[in-house]
């Protein structure tokens, strides 16, 4: 049986606030709330050649290059649906558009740390439109990895010191089930 303790104070204190994040304290809990956005999106994109699109970029909080699925903040570009955000992020980061989109689920990115919810989409029937690489100060490298080789490729990336986002494995679950 799960037990939880609710805050006795009933009040939420803002400890700090930035452009996209707000650090809150509620009772004993300190957590981050996403502001000026609706949440986040993550895309499991598969090319017609059965390659999984993965993106690599340096992430300051980890001080490391990370490998992940194309993803981004939803609603930070004005009024847009989660699907519109996913379509924009796939194009910006990986340089692809998709003719077929399937909504999979929405869930917390890290429930003990943040209120942020991530909507996951499967993108198929991809067409290469641009080189990708992100916008403005982003420096994203796109990887097309054959599905049959993804697990071995990810293991090699980790041996090279890169951080692999475990949500890639969740994406593989949806692809292979």
């Amino acid at each position: 049986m799960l037990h939880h303790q609710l805050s006795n104070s009933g009040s939420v204190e803002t400890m700090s606030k930035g452009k996209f994040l707000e650090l809150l304290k509620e009772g004993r809990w300190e957590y981050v709330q996403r502001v000026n956005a609706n949440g986040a999106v993550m895309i499991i994109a598969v090319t017609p050649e059965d390659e999984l699109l993965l993106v690599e970029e340096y992430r300051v909080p980890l001080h490391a290059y990370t490998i992940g699925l194309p993803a981004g903040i939803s609603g930070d570009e004005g009024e847009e649906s989660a699907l519109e955000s996913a379509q924009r992020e796939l194009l910006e980061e990986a340089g692809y558009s998709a003719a077929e989109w399937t909504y999979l689920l929405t869930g917390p990115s890290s429930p003990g740390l943040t209120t942020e919810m991530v909507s996951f989409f499967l993108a198929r029937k991809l067409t290469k439109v641009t080189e990708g690489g992100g916008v403005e100060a982003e420096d994203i490298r796109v990887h097309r990895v054959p599905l049959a080789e993804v697990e071995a490729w990810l293991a090699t990336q980790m041996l090279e010191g890169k951080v692999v986002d475990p949500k890639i494995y969740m994406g593989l679950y949806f692809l292979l089930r």
Side-chain angles (χ1 to χ4, degrees):
M1 176 185 239
L2 294 174
H3 297 280
H4 59 83
Q5 181 178 9
L6 297 176
S7 169
N8 293 332
S9 70
S11 65
V12 178
E13 172 191 346
T14 298
M15 298 171 66
S16 182
K17 187 173 182 177
K19 182 177 178 183
F20 291 110
L21 299 174
E22 183 174 19
L23 179 59
L24 301 175
K25 182 172 179 149
E26 185 172 356
R28 297 179 346 180
W29 281 92
E30 294 177 355
Y31 59 94
V32 177
Q33 177 172 280
R34 179 71 71 190
V35 294
N36 297 321
N38 303 328
V41 293
M42 190 161 277
I43 305 104
I44 303 151
V46 180
T47 69
E49 297 80 24
D50 275 341
E51 298 163 314
L52 181 63
L53 292 184
L54 296 172
V55 292
E56 176 181 342
E57 65 184 307
Y58 187 81
R59 293 295 194 174
V60 172
L62 299 174
H63 300 288
Y65 282 94
T66 63
I67 305 288
L69 297 166
I73 300 173
S74 178
D76 61 326
E77 301 281 327
E79 288 297 318
E80 65 182 355
S81 68
L83 175 59
E84 290 168 331
S85 297
Q87 291 168 334
R88 175 179 52 78
E89 290 292 347
L90 182 62
L91 184 60
E92 287 175 1
E93 290 195 356
Y96 283 82
S97 65
E100 183 180 294
W101 288 88
T102 304
Y103 168 78
L104 298 171
L105 70 117
T106 298
S109 62
S110 181
L113 175 67
T114 179
T115 62
E116 178 181 73
M117 298 292 278
V118 181
S119 295
F120 292 86
F121 292 89
L122 176 60
R124 291 192 179 271
K125 298 185 181 174
L126 301 183
T127 303
K128 182 117 171 104
V129 178
T130 70
E131 290 304 308
V135 295
E136 297 172 14
E138 292 179 321
D139 184 18
I140 297 171
R141 184 173 173 204
V142 180
H143 298 282
R144 295 172 51 140
V145 183
L147 284 174
E149 301 171 18
V150 169
E151 289 187 54
W153 187 86
L154 291 170
T156 299
Q157 297 302 304
M158 287 187 270
L159 288 173
E160 292 176 3
K162 295 175 188 169
V163 176
V164 172
D165 186 338
K167 290 183 284 300
I168 293 171
Y169 296 100
M170 186 215 64
L172 291 172
Y173 164 80
F174 280 104
L175 284 175
L176 304 175
R177 68 182 171 124

